[in-house]
Amino acid sequence: MRREVPLRRSLLVRLLAVSVLVSIGSIAATAWLTARSTTVAIRQEQGRALADDARVYDTLLGYAATHHGWDDAGDLVRRLAADTGRRITLTTEQRTPLLDSDAEPRAAALPSRPSAVVDPLSADATQGHIDPRAVGPYRLTRKERDDLRATAQRRALCLRRTFGVYAQVTESPNGRPALTTGGAQPYPETRCPSPVLEQPTTTERRALAALEKLTGSCLKRKGEPAVRINPDFTWTREPAPVAPGAPRTTASAGGTVSTCLAAARREQLGPYVAPPALLFISSRGGGVSTGFDLSPANQARIAGVAALVLLFTVTATVIAGTRLSRPLRELTEAVRRTEQGGAPRVEVKGRDEIAHLAAAFNAMAERREQLEHLRKAMVSDVAHELRTPLSTIRGWLEATEDGVVAPDRELISSLLEEALLLQHIIDDLQDLAMAEAGELRLRREPVEVADLLAQVATAHRAGAEQAGVTLRTRADGDLRAFADPVRLRQAAGNLVSNAVRHTPRGGAVTLHARRDGHHLLVDVADTGTGIAPDDLALVFERFWRVEKSRNRRTGGSGLGLPIARKLVEAHGGTLTATSTPGRGSIFTIRLPAGVCGEEQG
Ligand code: ADP
């Protein structure tokens, strides 16, 4: 009967399921971790790129504010590109290339939208903001600058001496010096006066006048009165209609003036700055800056790698699972054959757990075979042992029935003797079976060893006298044991019975109890035939006899010694024998300390 494992319970399928689950889990975890760390890295990278881009834009805006054109900006663009590791391209508003940090400009490779428009007169697309570095006609002459600087320094010195205020002389883009006190407490203007510093210079006045004119003509076109422009490019009405000096700020009129002023400023500065240019900042090699995008190509790549990992996992698991399940199947098959009465062995390959299991199975099969062999031998021994007395009884009874032999007293006693022998063998077999099954119950109690030896001697005295053998007992000191007296008597009795049977007339059998350290020893010594060294090792085997024939004097069951040994072993002791052929044998019962507890206590 072959019981197949259902597929879903199969070791291979379960291994496969576990490994597929594990690999899907690890792929997902790896993808998640990678996506997270990549996103963080990209954010950092993008932050850095943005800061770089802002720097590039600001530097180029500064250049445009202070130069008439882009002709000499090549070096600056290349230097910025080298610093930021980016490709920088400038084109006109019509996308005609002006400058490119790459050696071979490839206009076609430019992104569709520019990164920014570099226009110093419209630096802020919504507000029309003019870059402060675009100073044009407002730039001071060298003399004006030196004079103002000297004045500023004098004033700084005065402030330091008078108020202990440390003022620094800085320079605005058009060369006008200014004093900054780094947030120090205000100081009275009157103590260190320097009105020159607040007054516009001739150059500035001239430029402001030109600006006023340009603004004025714009306002005139729109039907608005002219205004006065201040050095900080604020304006005032002239003459003041509400309060002298206060700007009139009605929404509509203010808006028109501001528009005209801004247009005038752009018109005034136009010739001094570079024309507006489109700025393209891209990654080296022309591509747009990188980002973490799950494009179809990337998705396909991830799916492909995941499929490869899964394929590898499945292949590896199938190989490993097959290697695991094949020997297990062989073992199962072998166990089934054992069940059916066979004695198969399995091949032991390698040194892993399954190899150990296979080796253990083989050892078990071997042991089982030995036991089976023993069982068969015992059954045949028992049959053989029982057959002899039974055939004797049957032979005599048949002869009596046929009238060949008269049923006299002698015949009856002979039949009784055979029946007793049968009984004896059966009793012995039962004792041995119980001892071997570990079912021998000991009823332990304090035992006087000398008394026990005397009882054994008494039981065998009649037989000994009949055989012409002297039976003696001897006990060294007051020896006591804690043992089962019945079983101990039975063991010693078997030894005495053997000794008497194997001692010729005139010989002696001695029972001698003594102490050896914590052990209690009982020797049963005889002056009999002795046992040959080869036979000595076998006398404790069941049904083993030196004399194979059974006669009245020496015939036994061949179970006496194995039973005696089992009884002694049940007490935790040992039974051993020494012998000299022709001179006699000594059988020694050695009982351990625990058995002698009474004596020690
Ligand atoms: P049996 O019932 O035949 O005596 P045992 O198991 O008691 O069976 O003994 C096994 C064999 O050991 C005996 O047949 C005998 O040959 C041998 N034997 C046992 N005791 C002695 C002894 N004291 N002297 C010589 N031979 C002995």
Side-chain angles (χ1 to χ4, degrees):
M1 186 180 62
R2 201 176 156 77
R3 281 155 296 180
E4 285 302 334
V5 180
L7 195 63
R8 75 196 166 82
R9 294 243 163 261
S10 140
L11 183 66
L12 184 60
V13 171
R14 284 205 264 173
L15 262 177
L16 208 60
V18 168
S19 56
V20 166
L21 275 180
V22 168
S23 52
I24 287 176
S26 48
I27 290 170
T30 313
W32 181 76
L33 271 177
T34 313
R36 264 192 73 91
S37 49
T38 312
T39 310
V40 170
I42 286 170
R43 267 197 212 124
Q44 286 172 348
E45 178 65 18
Q46 280 174 340
R48 199 177 63 79
L50 275 177
D52 283 348
D53 291 359
R55 187 157 67 86
V56 169
Y57 170 71
D58 189 60
T59 312
L60 290 174
L61 193 65
Y63 178 90
T66 49
H67 295 79
H68 298 286
W70 292 103
D71 297 345
D72 300 329
D75 281 349
L76 178 67
V77 166
R78 275 187 291 280
R79 204 176 62 240
L80 283 171
D83 280 2
T84 56
R86 319 265 281 154
R87 179 188 171 192
I88 299 170
T89 314
L90 282 170
T91 69
T92 63
E93 282 176 307
Q94 292 71 40
R95 299 219 171 202
T96 313
L98 286 170
L99 292 164
D100 198 321
S101 63
D102 269 16
E104 291 166 25
R106 283 166 296 173
L110 285 177
S112 55
R113 282 163 55 103
S115 307
V117 180
V118 185
D119 182 0
L121 302 184
S122 183
D124 184 335
T126 49
Q127 309 257 318
H129 175 74
I130 293 172
D131 190 90
R133 286 167 292 187
V135 290
Y138 296 88
R139 182 174 295 287
L140 303 187
T141 61
R142 174 172 285 280
K143 184 169 180 316
E144 282 171 342
R145 199 167 354 156
D146 292 348
D147 287 353
L148 281 180
R149 176 166 275 278
T151 313
Q153 276 164 350
R154 270 202 304 281
R155 188 168 183 205
L157 195 68
C158 167
L159 286 174
R160 190 153 69 243
R161 286 204 183 130
T162 319
F163 305 106
V165 171
Y166 281 87
Q168 257 193 332
V169 181
T170 57
E171 202 167 82
S172 52
N174 74 335
R176 166 175 282 278
L179 277 182
T180 55
T181 52
Q185 64 268 56
Y187 46 86
E189 290 289 326
T190 44
R191 291 288 293 273
C192 293
S194 49
V196 189
L197 273 181
E198 274 82 49
Q199 307 268 305
T201 62
T202 319
T203 310
E204 287 168 319
R205 262 202 305 276
R206 211 179 289 146
L208 277 172
L211 182 64
E212 243 172 45
K213 208 164 149 196
L214 284 170
T215 314
S217 58
C218 168
L219 286 171
K220 197 171 171 190
R221 277 199 301 280
K222 298 191 175 180
E224 288 278 338
V227 292
R228 186 190 195 101
I229 310 289
N230 300 319
D232 58 355
F233 301 115
T234 56
W235 52 272
T236 42
R237 282 278 182 217
E238 192 171 70
V242 186
R248 203 180 70 178
T249 53
T250 58
S252 64
T256 316
V257 177
S258 295
T259 314
C260 277
L261 177 58
R265 283 196 70 198
R266 276 200 287 279
E267 191 182 338
Q268 186 184 31
L269 292 172
Y272 296 91
V273 299
L278 301 184
L279 169 65
F280 294 89
I281 303 176
S282 48
S283 62
R284 276 263 158 80
V288 194
S289 61
T290 52
F292 183 75
D293 69 309
L294 268 187
S295 60
N298 272 353
Q299 284 172 9
R301 208 170 295 143
I302 290 172
V305 170
L308 262 178
V309 171
L310 269 179
L311 185 73
F312 176 76
T313 313
V314 169
T315 316
T317 311
V318 167
I319 294 172
T322 317
R323 291 185 125 203
L324 262 180
S325 59
R326 193 184 299 135
L328 285 178
R329 271 203 302 276
E330 278 173 19
L331 265 169
T332 313
E333 193 51 42
V335 171
R336 276 184 198 145
R337 287 215 302 279
T338 313
E339 257 176 34
Q340 290 157 4
R345 299 286 190 277
V346 287
E347 201 183 340
V348 180
K349 271 190 239 154
R351 292 206 307 226
D352 56 5
E353 287 89 341
I354 293 186
H356 281 135
L357 178 63
F361 173 82
N362 286 347
M364 187 196 73
E366 191 135 323
R367 177 77 185 134
R368 193 178 164 280
E369 212 170 29
Q370 276 174 3
L371 286 175
E372 185 62 13
H373 183 73
L374 276 176
R375 190 183 64 82
K376 283 182 182 158
M378 183 158 169
V379 169
S380 101
D381 281 353
V382 169
H384 182 260
E385 293 302 316
L386 296 180
R387 193 177 295 126
T388 315
L390 258 180
S391 341
T392 314
I393 294 170
R394 193 181 144 198
W396 283 113
L397 286 176
E398 279 174 358
T400 315
E401 193 181 39
D402 296 347
V404 180
V405 178
D408 57 5
R409 184 176 252 289
E410 195 185 345
L411 174 67
I412 289 173
S413 78
S414 163
L415 287 177
L416 183 64
E417 197 175 309
E418 291 299 328
L420 284 174
L421 182 61
L422 266 179
Q423 171 92 51
H424 182 61
I425 292 175
I426 290 166
D427 289 349
D428 280 358
L429 271 172
Q430 197 176 8
D431 281 348
L432 192 62
M434 274 170 68
E436 284 185 341
E439 287 171 4
L440 209 62
R441 295 265 172 277
L442 294 182
R443 289 198 187 81
R444 289 176 190 258
E445 56 185 75
V447 175
E448 286 287 346
V449 179
D451 290 354
L452 188 128
L453 296 193
Q455 287 163 5
V456 174
T458 309
H460 291 86
R461 181 137 294 133
E465 279 172 4
Q466 208 181 350
V469 175
T470 317
L471 194 56
R472 279 193 289 262
T473 62
R474 197 177 121 204
D476 295 353
D478 184 16
L479 298 171
R480 273 183 230 156
F482 188 68
D484 183 332
V486 176
R487 294 304 186 184
L488 218 49
R489 263 203 307 269
Q490 189 183 356
N494 283 359
L495 299 179
V496 174
S497 144
N498 279 348
V500 171
R501 270 190 282 134
H502 293 93
T503 304
R505 195 165 281 276
V509 172
T510 314
L511 284 111
H512 179 201
R514 60 196 166 99
R515 218 178 327 164
D516 178 19
H518 288 307
H519 288 218
L520 173 70
L521 269 56
V522 177
D523 293 325
V524 178
D526 64 59
T527 57
T529 53
I531 306 164
D534 287 350
D535 295 334
L536 197 58
L538 299 165
V539 290
F540 293 103
E541 295 286 324
R542 76 161 75 89
F543 293 122
W544 195 90
R545 287 192 305 266
V546 176
E547 314 85 14
K548 303 297 174 215
S549 71
R550 185 178 287 121
N551 63 46
R552 239 165 229 224
R553 184 159 159 70
T554 58
S557 64
L559 295 171
L561 286 180
I563 289 173
R565 177 171 262 187
K566 286 285 170 204
L567 293 176
V568 174
E569 282 173 357
H571 283 85
T574 56
L575 172 60
T576 50
T578 56
S579 184
T580 317
R583 296 189 58 184
S585 319
I586 305 174
F587 286 79
T588 305
I589 297 172
R590 177 182 285 265
L591 296 174
V595 175
C596 318
E598 280 289 304
E599 183 208 347
Q600 285 162 8

